[in-house]
Structure formats: structure tokens, C-alpha cells
Amino acid sequence: RSELKKTGQAILFEGYMDVITAYQGNIKNGIASLGTSITEQQAALIKRYVNTVVICYDGDEAGINASFKAAKLMAKVGCQVRIATLPDGHDPDSFIRKYGGERFKQEVIEVSSTYMGFIMMYHKRAYNLNVEADQMAYVRKIVTEIAQLKSALDRDRYIRELTKMFDLSSEAIQEQVNQIRKKQETTRH
């Protein structure tokens, strides 16, 4: 707990072996969800100790899907979320054993994706972006995700990114985001 409070950040691993190996590699702010499913109670408990969570699950399909769910849950409880991606064939334990803790920090943790960057990459896997209909379906999906962001700066940044990716007007995307946010506000009240 003292290391979590000191750094203000937790690295969320799948299992205790990842935490132990990380600790041996001088990464002392690791915690484990003990499996790929994190509960809302666990997320709330983590939020009591840190503001930032770096999710570092295995890079396989199950780990990526679990990272998505954990990212959504951690963001919901108010944490800043980043998602670390491991090179193919590695899990945190094997990477640290092979390359050491310092390299893990530099090449995995420090270059972890932002929450929205990961969300965009995650959803991109479900669409063929060479097909116009899939492009528009992807844009609609991401616009919905952008509308969930609390920060106007964050929303603006990702609106600009979509604008560049698909040669759309930022005004049109902003209008869609505003419509979604307005609809959400009316359903909350």
C-alpha cells in the first residue's frame, strides 16, 4: 500500500506470479486481479489508493478482452487508465524474467496507451476499415466512446484524430458527440 500511495499508480496484473516477478524486478506497485475479471468492488478499492492504473494483462485475445473490461470499469470509478501492451508471446512474468524490470518499465509501462487510444484500437479489430460501411460504423462506435469522456480537452483531441483518420469535418463529429451527451444528460435526470 505504501508504494501505491507513494507512486499514485498501480500496475494491474492478471496473476500473483506477475506481481512477484515485477517486485523482484524492482517494480513494487503491482497488484493482481487474480484472473481476467475485475469486480466493481475491487475497482473501487483500487481507486481508494491510487488515481492512475496501468492495466498490464497478457497480450493474448483473452487478455486484450479482459483489459477492455477492466479499463471500462476503472474509468467508471474515476481512475486515469492506461493499458500496457506486451510484445507477442510475452506475459509480464516472462518479459521481466527475460529483459529485467528496468526495461519492462521503459518499454512496456512508460509507453502504455491512453484509455481512449486503447479503446479505439480495441474496436478497430472488429471492422474492415477499407469498406466504407465499416468505416462509418467504426466512427459511430468511437463517437459514442468519445461522448463518454469527461474532459472537453480529451474529447477534442480524439475528435481531431477521427477527423484526420477519415477526412470528416470536426464540426460534424462534435455535433454527434454533443447529441449523445445531451441524450445521456436527459436520461440521468
Side-chain angles (χ1 to χ4, degrees):
R1 281 190 268 190
S2 63
E3 194 66 28
L4 295 177
K5 287 200 181 263
K6 187 168 90 176
T7 62
Q9 172 180 286
I11 301 171
L12 180 61
F13 295 110
E14 281 182 50
Y16 65 89
M17 282 308 299
D18 297 325
V19 174
I20 292 168
T21 304
Y23 194 88
Q24 290 169 342
N26 205 30
I27 301 160
K28 298 182 177 170
N29 58 332
I31 57 176
S33 59
L34 300 177
T36 56
S37 291
I38 184 168
T39 67
E40 205 160 328
Q41 292 81 11
Q42 288 171 321
L45 181 62
I46 293 167
K47 174 64 178 143
R48 284 181 28 203
Y49 293 100
V50 297
N51 289 322
T52 304
V53 173
V54 179
I55 299 166
C56 190
Y57 285 172
D58 295 354
D60 59 9
E61 192 66 23
I64 292 168
N65 290 331
S67 293
F68 176 77
K69 289 176 188 163
K72 289 285 207 177
L73 198 50
M74 294 309 305
K76 182 180 175 184
V77 298
C79 282
Q80 290 287 332
V81 180
R82 298 185 60 84
I83 296 83
T85 307
L86 289 151
D88 287 340
H90 280 290
D91 59 23
D93 176 56
S94 68
F95 187 96
I96 295 167
R97 286 182 191 277
K98 185 170 184 176
Y99 301 111
E102 196 54 41
R103 194 162 159 192
F104 179 77
K105 283 182 201 173
Q106 292 171 355
E107 295 179 18
V108 178
I109 300 303
E110 290 175 10
V111 299
S112 55
S113 300
T114 62
Y115 170 79
M116 195 62 205
F118 174 77
I119 296 297
M120 290 174 79
M121 179 278 303
Y122 179 84
H123 286 304
K124 197 179 282 185
R125 302 171 326 137
Y127 298 94
N128 178 351
L129 297 182
N130 295 318
V131 175
E132 185 179 0
D134 273 13
Q135 284 179 7
M136 294 314 296
Y138 173 76
V139 168
R140 284 185 193 93
K141 182 72 169 174
I142 298 306
V143 164
T144 302
E145 294 284 359
I146 291 171
Q148 310 300 317
L149 298 174
K150 289 179 177 71
S151 165
L153 292 173
D154 289 345
R155 289 192 304 271
D156 183 63
R157 190 233 182 275
Y158 292 106
I159 287 170
R160 289 175 192 269
E161 192 167 322
L162 272 183
T163 298
K164 287 179 198 162
M165 284 173 72
F166 297 102
D167 195 29
L168 297 168
S169 84
S170 60
E171 292 81 15
I173 296 172
Q174 183 67 57
E175 185 178 327
Q176 285 292 122
V177 167
N178 291 343
Q179 286 175 7
I180 293 167
R181 290 182 63 78
K182 190 174 184 177
K183 189 183 288 185
Q184 289 170 347
E185 282 298 313
T186 58
T187 59
R188 283 189 204 133
H189 297 293

